Amino acid sequence: MRILGILLCFLTLSPCVYAQSSELLRQFRKMPREKSYWQPLLDALISEGERQKALEVAQEILKVDVLYAYAMGKHAYLLLVHSKKEEEAKKAAQRTLNYFNGNVDALHTLAWYHYLNKDYEASYRHFREIRDKEIMDFELQYHWGLSAWKAAKPEEAMARFRIALKLEPNNIPCLLSVALFLEERQRPKQAVSMYNKALQHSPETGPLRDFITDKLRSLLPSYQKPEGVESTLEPISDNTDRFRNLLARYGRAETLAPPENNPKTLPAIRKPRLPKTQSNPITKTSTTAGTIVSNPFHQPILQKVYEEKRAESETLGQEQYHNLGELFLKEGLKREAIAELETAISLNRSNPTARSARTLLDSAYELPEMSLVQRIDALFNIAEDFYRRGSKILSRYLFQKILLLDEKHPRARKNLAYLYLELNQPVSALPILDSLIEEYPEYQEALILHGYCMARLRRFKEASDSLRRAAESGGGLSYSNEYASQIQELIRAYEKPLPELD
């Protein structure tokens, strides 16, 4: 999808465009008839947004070879999303699958056909038939995410949206869909971030921008309000229905609509919010007559206590490994369940915990494999849930496991550093934050945590520098004005003389 993807109406072709298409077809007819020329030509036209030309070329290819699988699949899909010939596209896709079982474009066509006709279970079922689950095609992943969302498969929906945004990070329909999805999942912080990204790429004026602005106003009160700061935005009622009517002029507005039924929740965990980097350390800081009062960083690090806490928190017990393995088993995480259960067995093979782990291990080996993206997403959700329930050690352990799967995962690194700080381990947090800021110099949360870490290590000048960079990195776009005000207040506090420590 390009500008507003499938939601935009298609422009009427001018005589000039028709002339260009005719010239393209003349050139195609002069090309050698080897199939090696056909697929790159179709791919190039589609990637450039030339869908009418791609459809005509696909039809020409099928005149030469009526059973050329790639052209058959693309022809069916373009009939649906470009020409809006739904029944003709459905028949073309079914005919393709009769000859070529598993054709990705044909399955995509049928899945999207059923989605547009609100048969979400059938849509999701066709997407699940695609063998290669991580095809790097934006529309496929975006549509798959919408279908999984409507079919009450929130974890898979998030995994698909994540891939789609990696491919086209500034696509407005996708950003808005993810924002609505996150809002429905009661994750307002992430929803605000998505709405803000969509706002950056929306027109300067118009109903679309008004809708996003209204959404931001309605969500900002969901933040934990800082002390002494009043919001300048008034909450408004949910206007998703108004936006669906607004987008009706562009085609099928239901592509951004939330599902009719609430998604099923996972049996073992709730969907939590991210660890709040703007919580206690900021709200506890205040200034009075030029001195700092109750600054959380004015406690010296006791090396002995630090080492004892670190040693105590680094390892898990046999029962914890067993319980983690059981939880992973319920969530379908095959490799993670096997690893934890085998660890539990090896610690002490003679006690009841080991016997229970052996029983669960048999079930774990029968689980189907998950993709890497699905495994990371599931581990992330479980780690956040542990954090919300106060299990910081287990949360930290799971973020470490995520980094074993993807050592460059920025949010996992940021959250792991945050947990190290909460566990009184700033020395462990510092190299993580240093490398994260080096790779992402504008990562505001990482900069704030770096400021905290420097302050915990009593390097207040560097702490002030990091927090100033955070405030100057565009906090008004990514975070509320209240949040930016807190950062500025903390910076001013650090710039004042420090009182003597007892």
Side-chain angles (χ1 to χ4, degrees):
M1 277 184 289
R2 301 298 166 192
I3 303 173
L4 280 184
I6 60 167
L7 302 179
L8 280 180
C9 60
F10 298 97
L11 299 175
T12 303
L13 291 173
S14 65
C16 178
V17 174
Y18 279 123
Q20 293 174 358
S21 299
S22 300
E23 177 62 26
L24 178 72
L25 294 179
R26 283 194 293 270
Q27 292 176 3
F28 171 75
R29 294 188 182 106
K30 295 177 181 179
M31 290 173 60
R33 284 302 185 251
E34 287 84 359
K35 295 181 181 180
S36 59
Y37 290 89
W38 295 348
Q39 181 172 334
L41 177 60
L42 281 174
D43 288 341
L45 289 172
I46 292 173
S47 66
E48 293 170 4
E50 301 286 354
R51 289 186 163 179
Q52 177 62 33
K53 295 179 182 179
L55 180 61
E56 294 173 4
V57 168
Q59 291 169 340
E60 288 295 314
I61 291 173
L62 293 177
K63 290 179 183 178
V64 178
D65 185 350
V66 70
L67 293 179
Y68 182 56
Y70 193 76
M72 291 176 74
K74 290 296 182 186
H75 179 248
Y77 182 68
L78 290 168
L79 283 175
L80 178 64
V81 299
H82 177 67
S83 299
K84 307 295 183 184
K85 299 178 180 178
E86 294 188 359
E87 294 305 319
E88 188 176 338
K90 179 183 177 183
K91 291 178 181 178
Q94 289 173 335
R95 181 172 182 270
T96 303
L97 292 174
N98 289 339
Y99 286 99
F100 305 101
N101 183 33
N103 182 280
V104 172
D105 292 303
L107 289 171
H108 187 186
T109 302
L110 287 178
W112 195 235
Y113 167 85
H114 287 298
Y115 180 92
L116 295 176
N117 288 278
K118 300 185 179 181
D119 187 352
Y120 303 124
E121 292 297 331
S123 173
Y124 179 71
R125 186 171 62 252
H126 283 300
F127 276 120
R128 293 291 293 173
E129 291 176 21
I130 296 175
R131 296 188 184 97
D132 185 355
K133 305 300 183 186
E134 298 188 17
I135 296 173
M136 293 297 104
D137 179 89
F138 169 77
E139 285 191 15
L140 174 65
Q141 295 296 337
Y142 175 41
H143 291 170
W144 197 335
L146 290 171
S147 178
W149 178 13
K150 294 276 190 163
K153 306 291 183 183
E155 288 74 31
E156 184 164 3
M158 193 65 248
R160 299 297 153 197
F161 287 145
R162 196 188 303 276
I163 296 174
L165 286 176
K166 284 183 179 179
L167 296 171
E168 290 194 19
N170 300 330
N171 185 276
I172 293 179
C174 189
L175 288 169
L176 290 176
S177 297
V178 177
L180 289 166
F181 170 78
L182 291 168
E183 184 180 352
E184 181 190 82
R185 302 295 294 166
Q186 298 181 356
R187 299 169 73 172
K189 177 181 176 181
Q190 295 95 321
V192 166
S193 177
M194 289 295 110
Y195 281 127
N196 272 313
K197 289 179 182 177
L199 189 66
Q200 294 177 48
H201 302 285
S202 66
E204 291 296 328
T205 58
L208 181 62
R209 192 174 187 87
D210 293 341
F211 167 79
I212 300 173
T213 305
D214 289 346
K215 274 291 183 183
L216 287 170
R217 288 196 183 100
S218 69
L219 281 174
L220 281 178
S222 300
Y223 280 97
Q224 181 181 359
K225 282 195 174 184
E227 297 176 2
V229 180
E230 293 296 328
S231 174
T232 58
L233 299 176
E234 294 292 333
I236 63 171
S237 58
D238 190 313
N239 52 9
T240 304
D241 291 335
R242 177 171 68 82
F243 185 50
R244 287 203 296 270
N245 296 331
L246 167 68
L247 289 180
R249 73 186 69 174
Y250 298 127
R252 293 185 176 272
E254 69 269 16
T255 53
L256 294 182
E260 287 79 1
N261 300 317
N262 291 330
K264 299 176 183 177
T265 56
L266 292 175
I269 62 173
R270 301 191 311 274
K271 290 296 171 189
R273 298 177 184 174
L274 282 174
K276 289 181 168 51
T277 58
Q278 68 270 35
S279 58
N280 291 339
I282 293 181
T283 56
K284 285 182 181 178
T285 303
S286 60
T287 60
T288 304
T291 61
I292 298 178
V293 179
S294 186
N295 192 307
F297 305 126
H298 284 173
Q299 300 298 323
I301 298 175
L302 302 178
Q303 186 65 24
K304 181 179 179 182
V305 174
Y306 166 73
E307 291 175 351
E308 289 175 352
K309 287 189 176 182
R310 181 183 178 91
E312 179 185 2
S313 62
E314 282 295 329
T315 58
L316 305 181
Q318 185 180 31
E319 189 172 350
Q320 288 176 303
Y321 285 118
H322 172 277
N323 293 341
L324 276 177
E326 187 175 17
L327 176 58
F328 293 154
L329 179 63
K330 291 178 181 178
E331 301 303 324
L333 291 161
K334 178 177 181 177
R335 298 190 184 186
E336 285 70 24
I338 292 172
E340 303 305 317
L341 292 171
E342 287 183 341
T343 303
I345 294 169
S346 66
L347 289 176
N348 188 343
R349 296 177 177 274
S350 62
N351 65 11
T353 300
R355 289 194 290 272
S356 173
R358 273 192 287 270
T359 303
L360 296 172
L361 190 58
D362 294 335
S363 301
Y365 276 111
E366 296 175 359
L367 289 173
E369 290 284 353
M370 274 188 175
S371 71
L372 182 62
V373 172
Q374 290 173 316
R375 290 166 63 195
I376 290 174
D377 195 52
L379 286 171
F380 210 105
N381 290 332
I382 298 171
E384 290 177 339
D385 184 65
F386 275 132
Y387 176 82
R388 283 178 58 84
R389 289 187 281 149
S391 301
K392 297 175 185 177
I393 304 302
L394 291 175
S395 179
R396 186 202 59 188
Y397 177 72
L398 293 186
F399 281 122
Q400 290 171 331
K401 289 184 73 69
I402 291 171
L403 293 177
L404 290 176
L405 300 176
D406 181 1
E407 63 179 359
K408 294 296 184 181
H409 196 293
R411 289 180 61 215
R413 291 154 70 190
K414 181 263 296 180
N415 285 0
L416 179 59
Y418 176 80
L419 285 166
Y420 275 132
L421 287 172
E422 286 213 337
L423 292 168
N424 198 29
Q425 299 179 21
V427 176
S428 298
L430 183 57
I432 298 174
L433 294 169
D434 281 339
S435 62
L436 194 57
I437 291 172
E438 184 178 351
E439 294 174 36
Y440 303 95
E442 301 300 318
Y443 195 169
Q444 192 177 50
E445 288 182 281
L447 287 166
I448 293 169
L449 287 177
H450 190 265
Y452 291 169
C453 188
M454 291 293 98
R456 294 295 295 272
L457 295 170
R458 308 188 58 73
R459 290 155 62 175
F460 294 107
K461 175 64 170 64
E462 294 171 74
S464 181
D465 292 342
S466 292
L467 290 169
R468 183 179 293 102
R469 286 175 58 195
E472 294 171 353
S473 66
L477 292 176
S478 301
Y479 302 90
S480 66
N481 291 330
E482 296 91 337
Y483 189 28
S485 298
Q486 290 180 74
I487 300 171
Q488 293 285 8
E489 180 183 353
L490 191 55
I491 290 172
R492 287 193 293 272
Y494 277 127
E495 289 174 340
K496 296 183 180 300
L498 298 175
E500 292 295 329
L501 294 173
D502 295 333

